[in-house]
Amino acid sequence: MTTAATETAGPAVQVRFLGDFELTVNGTPVQRWRAGKARGLFQYLAVHRGQMLTRDRLYASLWPDADSAAGSSLKVAAHALRRVLDAHPDRPGDSGIQLVYRDFGYVLHISGLWCDLDRFQELVHTGLRAATAGDAPLARTRLRAAIDLYGGEFLRGESADWVVEQREYLRALALRALGALRADAEAREDFVELIEVCKRTLEIDRHHEETYRALMAAHGRRGELACVRRWYELCARRMRDELAVAPGHETQRLLGTLIPAAARAAAAAPVTGAPPATVRALRSTARRAGTPAWSPEARTTALARPVRRARPDNRAAAALARAADQATA
C-alpha cells in the first residue's frame, strides 16, 4: 500500500471529485496507482459504491472498445486497486475499504467516507427544498455552501461517457442553485451579491442568457444604461461566435425596454455567419398564487418595473467593469 496510516480527526477516507480528483486515506493522499485503469475503476466504483456492478457494465463504462469475454484488464485493475488501498475483501486495511468480487461483478464498500459529491448534492437539494418552503435564510446558507464546494466540473480532464453524463447532471444542479441565489439577491435588491452570483454562473455557462438578462435588468433599475448595453453586447458576441445564434427574443425585448435606440441598432445589425435566431418561448413573469417570496421558480424581472434613471453609483459601476473584464477573459 502506498499510504501510511496516521492519526487524523474525521473520516478515514476523503474523496474529491469536483475539480481535480483527490483521494486521501488516513490523512495521506494517494498519488501512485499501480495500473492505468485502477484509478478509473476506483472512481467509477466509488460513485456507485454499495452497488453490485457486473463485469459487462464495468467493461462498457471503462473499456468500451474491449472484448469483456477475452480481456483481463478488469482483473488487473482490480488486483492493483486492492494493493494500492489495502482493499482485500477478507482483510481490509486501516482505511476500511473493501473491494469484493461476487456474482460475476464487483462491489466497493467504504466505511468512514467523506465525499464532496455527496455533500454537494445534499446541500443543493436541502437548499432548494428550503427555498420552496419559504425559509429564505436556510436556503441561502445551504446553497451558498454548495456553490463554495463546487470547485470545478466533475473529474476535470476526464472524457469517458459516464464521466460526461455525471458532469452535466452536476453542472445543471449547480446552475439551479445559482438561479435560486440570483432570485434571492434580486428580491432583496442586493446588487453586490447579484454580481457575484452572476459572475459564478457565467464561469460555469458562458451562454446562460437568463444571467445576462439579470445583469441588464439590475443596471437598468440603477440607470446605468451603458452597462446594460455592454452586457447585451457580450452576450450577443458569445452567442454569435461560439454557438452561431443570436440572443433570444426575451433578451432582445429587455434591451428594447431599457434602451429603445440600442435595440433598434442591434436589430438592424446583421449577424455574420449565423442562422436565424432560435425561437424561444417567453417565460411568464407573473408569480403563481402561493409561491414563496423567493424560490427557484420565482424570477424578478425589470420588465415589470419602471426604469429609474438615477445617478450611477461609481463604486458599483467599477465593480461591474471588473466582473465584465473577468468574464471576457
Side-chain angles (χ1 to χ4, degrees), residues 34-83:
R34 294 177 180 271
K37 285 294 183 179
R39 184 171 181 264
L41 177 61
F42 174 80
Q43 292 168 343
Y44 190 78
L45 290 171
V47 170
H48 301 91
R49 64 189 178 280
Q51 303 178 35
M52 174 57 63
L53 304 177
T54 65
R55 287 168 50 88
D56 289 343
R57 179 174 174 180
L58 290 170
Y59 267 100
S61 298
L62 302 174
W63 295 273
D65 299 324
D67 182 356
S68 61
S72 60
S73 301
L74 178 56
K75 290 182 179 179
V76 172
H79 177 71
L81 186 56
R82 287 194 178 107
R83 294 190 64 186

Side-chain angles (χ1 to χ4, degrees), residues 239-313:
M239 300 289 284
R240 179 195 64 212
D241 295 347
E242 300 169 18
L243 299 180
V245 298
H249 292 309
E250 191 172 353
T251 306
Q252 297 180 37
R253 187 177 68 175
L254 177 59
L255 178 67
T257 300
L258 298 173
I259 315 178
R264 289 193 296 271
V271 181
T272 306
T278 304
V279 176
R280 304 177 63 162
L282 297 178
R283 301 170 184 169
S284 173
T285 58
R287 291 178 177 170
R288 298 188 300 272
T291 301
W294 79 279
S295 69
E297 291 77 20
R299 292 293 182 269
T300 304
T301 175
L303 297 178
R305 299 180 178 181
V307 175
R308 288 192 295 109
R309 299 183 181 274
R311 182 177 181 181
D313 185 335

Side-chain angles (χ1 to χ4, degrees), residues 12-246:
V13 181
Q14 298 186 22
V15 186
R16 294 186 180 275
F17 288 98
L18 299 172
D20 296 326
F21 175 74
E22 180 180 309
L23 169 63
T24 302
V25 179
N26 293 323
T28 303
V30 177
Q31 297 177 336
R32 299 183 61 185
W33 300 85
R34 294 177 180 271
K37 285 294 183 179
R39 184 171 181 264
L41 177 61
F42 174 80
Q43 292 168 343
Y44 190 78
L45 290 171
V47 170
H48 301 91
R49 64 189 178 280
Q51 303 178 35
M52 174 57 63
L53 304 177
T54 65
R55 287 168 50 88
D56 289 343
R57 179 174 174 180
L58 290 170
Y59 267 100
S61 298
L62 302 174
W63 295 273
D65 299 324
D67 182 356
S68 61
S72 60
S73 301
L74 178 56
K75 290 182 179 179
V76 172
H79 177 71
L81 186 56
R82 287 194 178 107
R83 294 190 64 186
V84 168
L85 302 178
D86 276 355
H88 194 280
D90 301 322
R91 302 185 305 278
D94 295 334
S95 67
I97 302 174
Q98 290 179 287
L99 178 59
V100 180
Y101 178 77
R102 184 189 305 148
D103 299 332
F104 308 103
Y106 289 89
V107 59
L108 183 71
H109 298 290
I110 308 177
S111 58
L113 170 69
W114 180 90
C115 177
D116 64 346
L117 196 62
D118 298 340
R119 182 59 177 159
F120 170 74
Q121 294 179 87
E122 176 190 356
L123 287 168
V124 173
H125 290 309
T126 56
L128 292 177
R129 284 196 295 269
T132 301
D135 191 343
L138 178 61
R140 199 177 301 132
T141 299
R142 293 288 190 272
L143 296 175
R144 284 173 178 170
I147 296 304
D148 288 343
L149 193 58
Y150 190 83
E153 62 184 17
F154 176 76
L155 290 180
R156 182 164 46 204
E158 303 289 339
S159 58
D161 285 349
W162 78 271
V163 172
V164 174
E165 179 181 347
Q166 186 75 11
R167 179 181 298 155
E168 290 305 311
Y169 163 71
L170 295 168
R171 179 174 173 269
L173 207 56
L175 290 173
R176 284 188 62 194
L178 286 163
L181 288 172
R182 184 178 64 249
D184 175 50
E186 289 174 336
R188 293 183 292 109
E189 297 190 350
D190 188 332
F191 190 58
V192 174
E193 181 165 358
L194 176 62
I195 292 172
E196 289 300 319
V197 170
C198 290
K199 178 177 178 293
R200 191 74 175 91
T201 303
L202 294 178
E203 289 173 355
I204 298 174
D205 184 358
R206 289 162 54 90
H207 312 107
H208 199 267
E209 278 197 69
E210 190 173 353
T211 297
Y212 291 105
R213 289 196 297 272
L215 289 164
M216 292 166 62
H219 284 290
R221 283 182 52 76
R222 297 169 65 87
E224 299 166 350
L225 302 186
C227 290
V228 172
R229 182 164 185 165
R230 282 196 293 269
W231 280 115
Y232 176 84
E233 290 173 349
L234 176 61
C235 173
R237 184 168 67 250
R238 286 178 171 175
M239 300 289 284
R240 179 195 64 212
D241 295 347
E242 300 169 18
L243 299 180
V245 298

